Amino acid sequence: MNTRFLLASLCLFWLPFKGIAQGDKAKDYRNFPIVITIQFQAFAMPFKDFKSNFKNVGIGIGTEVSHSSYHDWVQKFDITWFRNKAMGSGLLFSSQVAWRPYLVSNSFTEIKAGVGYHIAFRPTESFIQKDGSWKPVQKQGKGMLAIPVGISIGYHNYQNGTFVSPFVGYQVMFLKNYNKSIPIVPMTFVQTGARIHPVYPDIIQD
């Protein structure tokens, strides 16, 4: 996996799909959709060593609420878990504000930023020095402030009885106080998933 492959994957979502007016998009949007993602995580500098992401896989679930009548500003809420054998697995609780303007036809882009709480678990049993001796701390987690920033691109797939928005994205997250020697640690995620809105009979069109 390299940078060119990732960019090519993102560009696929620029292709136009079934045309629909922005007013119809706003009408069909529903608050509190189900957002499911597959997350590929790495401890890496932004936009560096993309292939390391695909060694660590995770899953996320979330929802969102719109801030505007056209639903181009939303508040996102997510819980993400990922597995990392080398550095330790993690659990992230986050909320982000996202700007989601429409592009061509049903396609859209998204820029998001927010705050979260990350629990990092140790990969193996660890020890700390206490009262003059080393005590085991096992694999208990450590909580840290997290600042996530991300971009994504996707499209709205409108069908009778369904409203699904698949997307791919890239997110950078900065962790505070990961350890004493490195106060700020970057983490990256390659994301793919879908936003699934409930569709009710009054918005299904012939």
Side-chain angles (χ1 to χ4, degrees):
M1 184 63 60
N2 53 37
T3 305
R4 286 179 296 177
F5 179 82
L6 179 64
L7 293 176
S9 298
L10 290 171
C11 289
L12 288 176
F13 289 92
W14 285 82
L15 296 175
F17 291 85
K18 190 172 67 176
I20 191 166
Q22 181 154 323
D24 292 333
K25 291 179 174 124
K27 177 182 176 182
D28 286 352
Y29 182 96
R30 289 293 185 268
N31 283 326
F32 303 109
I34 299 172
V35 183
I36 299 175
T37 56
I38 300 296
Q39 310 266 351
F40 300 95
Q41 178 269 351
F43 286 94
M45 294 298 292
F47 304 103
K48 299 288 185 179
D49 194 18
F50 282 110
K51 63 182 180 181
S52 65
N53 284 86
F54 296 91
K55 298 177 182 178
N56 311 303
V57 67
I59 189 169
I61 187 167
T63 190
E64 65 181 37
V65 178
S66 175
H67 286 306
S68 69
S69 59
Y70 284 103
H71 315 293
D72 52 352
W73 286 97
V74 299
Q75 188 74 39
K76 301 167 67 70
F77 305 91
D78 298 284
I79 301 174
T80 303
W81 173 88
F82 63 87
R83 187 178 184 217
N84 188 316
K85 290 183 179 180
M87 301 291 290
S89 300
L91 183 64
L92 171 66
F93 302 86
S94 65
S95 179
Q96 299 183 72
V97 175
W99 178 48
R100 188 183 296 148
Y102 293 105
L103 299 174
V104 179
S105 188
N106 286 5
S107 61
F108 65 88
T109 188
E110 179 179 272
I111 301 172
K112 58 186 178 181
V115 66
Y117 185 75
H118 175 70
I119 302 175
F121 299 96
R122 294 178 175 86
T124 59
E125 185 176 15
S126 301
F127 298 85
I128 59 173
Q129 193 170 28
K130 186 176 181 181
D131 299 327
S133 61
W134 291 96
K135 304 289 185 180
V137 292
Q138 300 178 350
K139 294 186 180 181
Q140 64 187 25
K142 175 184 177 181
M144 292 168 283
L145 175 68
I147 305 297
V149 179
I151 57 173
S152 63
I153 191 167
Y155 70 93
H156 297 299
N157 184 15
Y158 297 88
Q159 303 289 336
N160 282 344
T162 65
F163 178 6
V164 179
S165 300
F167 59 86
V168 294
Y170 185 77
Q171 180 162 280
V172 179
M173 188 169 70
F174 299 96
L175 300 176
K176 185 179 180 182
N177 295 327
Y178 187 82
N179 58 42
K180 292 182 179 180
S181 59
I182 308 177
I184 302 294
V185 171
M187 184 184 299
T188 62
F189 293 89
V190 176
Q191 305 168 320
T192 182
R195 193 171 69 252
I196 306 168
H197 293 261
V199 177
Y200 304 109
D202 62 311
I203 67 168
I204 297 177
Q205 302 177 1
D206 296 331

